[in-house]
Amino acid sequence: MRKRSLAGAAVVAASAIALTSCSAGSDDPAADVDISAAPTGALAAWGFENADDVGQSRLDYAAGQLPDVEVTLDATAFDAQKFTTRIASGDVPDVVQMDRRYVTTYAAQGLLIPLDACFEAEGVTPNERWYQNVVDDVTYDDGVYAVSQFYQPPAILLNMNVLNEAGVTPAEFDTSKMDGLLAAVGKIYQASGGTPSRLGFDPVATGQGGLWVLGMGGQLTDAEGKPTLDDPANAAGIDALKQITDAQGGYAAVKSFTDSFDTFGDANQFVKNQVGAQVANQWYPNVLGAYRDQVSLQAVPFRDAEGQPFSLASGTAFAIPVGAKNPAAACAWMTDLTSTDAWMAAGAARAATIESKGGLNTGLFTGSPEADAMIRDQFVVPTGDSGFDQVISTYYDVVESGKSFGSSPAGQDIQNELNNAITAVLLGDKTTEQALADAQQAAQRAYDNATAK
């Protein structure tokens, strides 16, 4: 039940007047913002693009909870340059959906309203509603600046047709035991004229670079969000990636081969047996479910340097920009969209879609432990394929082992510079030490710019 009490139109009007004194230059972006007023009036939302059955069911649920709020959706994709332009021009939406890596950047610049008062008004305790790592993603200077949604953890997806042919077991894909892993890769890898025709293991080196670096004991930021890309501990993950790619013809050959994969099509890399294993986020088994008669799958966790399951949070979030005209309705709408009841409506919608298409229900990974558990209990039933059931179970097992990338005002830049460093090392253009030092310099400049007053 909503905690906020209903207030009169005069309170809403007073809130709107107070907002005119709040600007991006304010020391406190929440100053004079009455976020606890009654949720009424017009609400402009931006970035909720391509709403599928999961998105639309949640939109419908929120609409039912907020009959006095008229929502206008700008369903175009979030654009970082467009966002700052809109803020500067005064064309400010009430709610923006963005990747969680951007949230701290804008929080540090004073462009987002902290949500402590929102959570109090709506009776939400962040550390109870969301996984801790999901909350950490959007926390800056002890404040939570966004309402998170989704957390689809990575794991290692195994092509059992290929593994069985090569005489390799799932246990050999243990990322904490590189010697055994490289031996397994070598048994599976095939090439023609120096060009790979089958990878033993696609580590998704740049797309999942943070997983390897953090999982092998590195860190991308310190406790304050400053970049730490030149930390010597970051070398272990990059060096592991270089060993894996070098064992399969080198990074250039591996990248050229993986770029040719028909990832979402009938000739995908599992159907065509082009990989023995691949790091994949939880959503990808949904794609492969359509080909269950052609593939045989299992999964194992990605393991950290100590041999423990390891995962990283990723996903999107809703935030309220400074200058929003209706922050009270924005607060109510965001928290309704991410409530357990909204996610259960989404679970029912997805189950109905799957049933109509004869698909497999691999679950929804919402960012909320309560919603995840309830959706699994009610909608995730045995598929009739023991391999897919094992895959689904593995992803549910690893979701509890997740960590945050690290909340930083330069979050997106740190990710980009890490990928640049990994690419340079894997191509042999730089040593690991030099690549990380160069990445650190660039990321530090971005951090200094983001935090400049």
Side-chain angles (χ1 to χ4, degrees), residues 212-353:
W212 287 90
V213 170
L214 293 173
M216 295 298 107
Q219 66 169 18
L220 305 183
T221 67
D222 66 12
E224 296 179 354
K226 295 179 181 178
T228 57
L229 290 175
D230 58 352
D231 188 319
N234 291 337
I238 298 178
D239 291 344
L241 288 169
K242 185 164 176 58
Q243 286 182 284
I244 293 168
T245 53
D246 282 354
Q248 301 179 100
Y251 178 66
V254 169
K255 183 67 164 58
S256 178
F257 184 50
T258 58
D259 283 349
S260 73
F261 288 170
D262 184 26
T263 301
F264 299 98
D266 294 342
N268 66 71
Q269 64 273 23
F270 284 85
V271 168
K272 300 294 287 184
N273 291 326
Q274 294 172 311
V275 294
Q278 185 177 48
V279 175
N281 285 346
Q282 181 274 333
W283 57 263
Y284 192 56
N286 287 288
V287 175
L288 296 180
Y291 308 98
R292 60 186 180 274
D293 294 335
Q294 302 174 63
V295 301
S296 177
L297 302 181
Q298 288 190 35
V300 294
F302 183 96
R303 295 190 181 276
D304 66 17
E306 304 303 320
Q308 298 302 310
F310 183 85
S311 181
L312 277 179
S314 61
T316 57
F318 299 107
I320 303 176
V322 164
K325 298 177 179 62
N326 197 345
C331 168
W333 190 69
M334 296 188 306
T335 53
D336 280 337
L337 281 172
T338 57
S339 67
T340 299
D341 287 343
W343 284 118
M344 290 303 289
R350 175 53 53 87
T353 299

Side-chain angles (χ1 to χ4, degrees), residues 100 129-131 134 148-151 343 365-369 372:
R100 291 203 288 268
R129 174 167 289 195
W130 296 286
Y131 295 99
V134 172
S148 295
Q149 58 171 358
F150 299 116
Y151 160 31
W343 284 118
F365 285 65
T366 67
S368 166
D372 283 357

Side-chain angles (χ1 to χ4, degrees), residues 21 172 177 341 351 356 370 429:
S21 64
E172 293 176 73
K177 299 176 179 178
D341 287 343
S356 69
E370 180 182 58
D429 295 338

Side-chain angles (χ1 to χ4, degrees), residues 29 53 56 68 78 82 107 116 183 255 258 278 355 397 431 446:
D53 51 352
Q56 190 59 54
D68 296 326
F78 174 79
K82 183 178 178 181
D116 293 348
K255 183 67 164 58
T258 58
Q278 185 177 48
E355 183 177 4
D397 289 343
T431 66

